[in-house]
C-alpha cells in the first residue's frame, strides 16, 4: 500500500516540484564558472551543491533530453532506495516497511533528490566492514565526498573504530578531490563555498529538520558540537554498523542547512527503534509519521516538527548501546 501511495503521489505531483535540473545541467556545465550557482539558468536556490567529480559522473545524463534523463535518474534513485533498504544491517523487514511509508523518502523521490545514493554507499560500506573488509568499506564510504557535508561524520566513525577503514576513506576522498581539481581547476573550491553560503539556502530555518530550526548563532554551534561529541562517544560503544546507522541522522540534525528529504537517511535508525515498546520507540514511530512534516509545511511553520525529529534521532541513538549489550548477552555481538 505504501508503494502504491508513493506511485500515485509521484504521478500527480506538480511539474515545477523538481530538484533534478541542477544535476542535469551540471553534466553540461563542467569547466564553467557557473557550475554551482547556474546563473545562466536563473537557478536561484536550486544550485548544484556537489563536487565537480560528481558533475563529471552526470555527463551521460546531460547528453540525453531532459525527460529521458529524468526517467533514468528516477530509476537509479528507486533502485538505490531499494538496495539500501535490503542491505542495511538491522531489522530488515522494519526498515523496508518504513522506507515504503516514510514521507522523506516520498519527498526525495518527488523532488528527484539523491540522498538514496548516499544511503546506499553507507549500507554497502557497513556490509563490507561487517565482513572484515575495512579498507574497502572506507573506500565505498568515501563516495559521501560527493556531498561533502555527510563525509565528516562517517569519517569520524572510521577514525574512531578502524585505521584501515579510515585509510580507505581518506584515499577515496583524496582521489575524488584530485579529480575535481583536474576537471574544474582550483577555482571550484571558492565557487563551491560561495554557493553553500548563499542566503537563498536559509530562507525558512523552521522548515529544516535540525537543531538549526530551534536555535541559531552560538547556541546552534554549541549544540552541533555536542551532537558530534555524542556521535564519537557512541561510535566507541556500539557495533560499526550501528555507528554508521547513527552517523547520517546525527549529521543532519546538526547541519546548518538540511531539508525534509535528507531525513530519509534517518529511516533505518528510526525503524530499528520504533518497534521497541518504550518512550524511545514511541518517539521514533512519531518521527516516522507525517506529523512532524505537517508542522513544518504550514504557512507559518512550527518548530514543533523539528523538535520531534531532533528528539527522536537523539533518543534513538541512546537506544543503540542498550541493544549492543543485549546482543552480547544473547551471544551475537556483531
Amino acid at each position: 500500500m505504501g508503494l502504491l501511495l508513493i506511485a500515485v503521489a509521484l504521478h500527480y505531483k506538480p511539474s515545477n516540484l523538481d530538484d533534478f535540473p541542477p544535476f542535469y545541467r551540471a553534466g553540461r556545465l563542467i569547466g564553467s564558472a557557473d557550475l554551482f550557482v547556474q546563473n545562466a539558468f536563473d537557478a536561484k536556490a536550486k544550485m548544484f551543491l556537489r563536487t565537480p567529480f560528481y558533475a563529471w559522473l552526470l555527463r551521460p545524463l546531460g547528453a540525453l533530453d531532459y525527460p529521458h534523463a529524468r526517467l533514468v535518474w528516477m530509476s537509479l534513485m528507486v533502485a538505490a532506495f531499494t538496495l539500501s533498504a535490503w542491505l542495511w544491517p538491522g531489522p530488515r523487514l522494519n526498515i523496508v516497511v518504513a522506507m515504503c511509508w516514510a514521507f522523506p523518502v516520498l519527498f526525495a523521490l518527488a523532488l528527484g533528490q539523491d540522498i538514496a545514493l548516499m544511503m546506499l554507499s553507507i549500507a554497502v560500506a557497513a556490509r563490507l566492514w561487517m565482513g572484515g573488509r575495512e579498507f574497502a568499506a572506507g573506500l565505498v564510504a568515501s563516495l559521501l565526498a560527493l556531498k561533502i557535508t555527510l563525509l565528516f561524520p562517517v569519517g569520524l566513525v572510521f577514525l574512531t573504530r578502524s585505521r584501515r577503514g579510515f585509510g580507505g576513506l581518506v584515499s577515496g576522498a583524496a582521489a575524488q578531490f584530485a579529480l575535481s581539481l583536474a576537471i574544474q581547476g582550483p577555482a571550484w573550491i571558492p565557487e563551491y563555498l560561495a554557493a553553500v553560503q548563499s542566503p537563498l539556502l536559509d530562507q525558512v530555518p523552521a522548515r529544516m529538520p535540525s537543531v538549526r530550526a530551534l536555535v541559531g548563532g552560538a547556541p546552534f554551534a554549541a549544540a552541533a558540537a555536542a551532537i558530534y561529541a555524542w556521535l564519537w562517544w557512541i561510535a566507541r560503544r556500539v557495533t560499526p554498523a550501528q555507528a554508521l546507522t547513527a552517523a547520517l541522522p546525527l549529521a543532519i540534525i546538526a547541519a546548518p542547512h538540511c531539508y525534509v528529504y535528507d531525513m530519509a537517511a534517518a529511516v533505518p535508525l528510526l525503524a530499528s527503534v520504533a518497534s521497541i515498546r518504550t518512550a524511545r520507540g514511541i518517539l521514533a514511530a512519531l518521527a516516522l509519521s507525517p506529523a512532524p512534516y505537517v508542522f513544518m509545511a504550514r504557512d507559518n511553520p512550527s518548530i514543533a516538527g523539528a523538535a520531534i525529529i531532533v528528539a527522536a534521532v537523539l533518543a534513538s541513538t541512546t537506544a543503540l548501546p542498550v541493544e549492543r549489550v543485549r546482543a552480547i548477552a544473547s551471544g551475537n555481538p556483531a
Side-chain angles (χ1 to χ4, degrees), residues 63 68 260 276 313:
H68 286 97
V260 168
I276 302 173
V313 169

Side-chain angles (χ1 to χ4, degrees), residues 199-281:
L200 293 173
L201 301 176
D202 198 23
Q203 297 183 55
V204 190
R207 290 204 170 102
M208 296 180 187
S210 74
V211 177
R212 177 69 178 79
L214 309 178
V215 294
F220 164 72
I227 289 171
Y228 274 101
W230 171 243
L231 173 59
W232 174 82
W233 189 89
I234 64 171
R236 295 167 59 86
R237 290 164 174 80
V238 301
T239 68
Q242 287 176 323
L244 290 177
T245 298
L248 294 190
L250 287 174
I252 291 166
I253 66 169
H257 301 290
C258 63
Y259 302 95
V260 168
Y261 51 77
D262 289 317
M263 286 309 299
V267 171
L269 171 66
L270 297 173
S272 299
V273 177
S275 60
I276 302 173
R277 295 182 179 179
T278 63
R280 294 187 188 106

Side-chain angles (χ1 to χ4, degrees), residues 20 24 61 64-74:
F20 177 58
Y24 178 68
L61 289 179
L64 301 174
D65 61 87
Y66 186 83
H68 286 97
R70 197 178 195 285
L71 178 61
V72 172
W73 180 254
M74 291 301 300

Side-chain angles (χ1 to χ4, degrees), residues 8-205:
V8 171
L10 293 178
H11 179 74
Y12 288 103
K13 81 174 184 69
S15 59
N16 63 344
L17 190 68
D18 193 358
D19 281 357
F20 177 58
F23 298 105
Y24 178 68
R25 296 189 293 252
R28 300 183 172 193
L29 290 172
I30 298 233
S32 165
D34 203 25
L35 173 62
F36 301 105
V37 180
Q38 302 187 352
N39 281 320
F41 297 92
D42 193 26
K44 296 181 180 177
K46 292 187 177 182
M47 296 176 282
F48 181 68
L49 304 177
R50 306 290 186 270
T51 62
F53 175 62
Y54 196 169
W56 180 79
L57 293 176
L58 294 172
R59 289 184 67 185
L61 289 179
L64 301 174
D65 61 87
Y66 186 83
H68 286 97
R70 197 178 195 285
L71 178 61
V72 172
W73 180 254
M74 291 301 300
S75 299
L76 288 173
M77 295 308 108
V78 170
F81 270 128
T82 302
L83 285 172
S84 63
W86 184 255
L87 292 172
W88 210 287
R92 179 180 295 168
L93 180 59
N94 290 1
I95 293 171
V96 170
V97 171
M99 292 278 279
C100 291
W101 284 95
F103 183 76
V105 173
L106 169 61
F107 206 57
L109 291 173
L111 291 177
Q113 275 289 340
D114 63 346
I115 189 66
L117 297 178
M118 313 306 159
M119 293 175 65
L120 180 58
S121 70
I122 289 299
V124 173
R127 287 291 177 181
L128 288 170
W129 198 343
M130 291 168 64
R133 302 172 63 182
E134 295 176 26
F135 185 87
L139 203 59
V140 170
S142 75
L143 291 173
L144 288 172
L146 298 175
K147 188 173 181 178
I148 294 174
T149 53
L150 297 181
L151 183 64
F152 177 72
V154 173
L156 181 61
V157 171
F158 276 96
L159 180 62
T160 304
R161 296 298 300 270
S162 171
R163 291 184 179 180
R164 283 188 296 161
F166 185 69
L169 184 138
V170 170
S171 299
Q176 292 176 59
F177 184 79
L179 287 169
S180 289
L181 287 175
I183 292 165
Q184 193 72 12
W188 81 266
I189 299 174
E191 291 166 1
Y192 170 81
L193 292 176
V196 298
Q197 295 176 47
S198 170
L200 293 173
L201 301 176
D202 198 23
Q203 297 183 55
V204 190

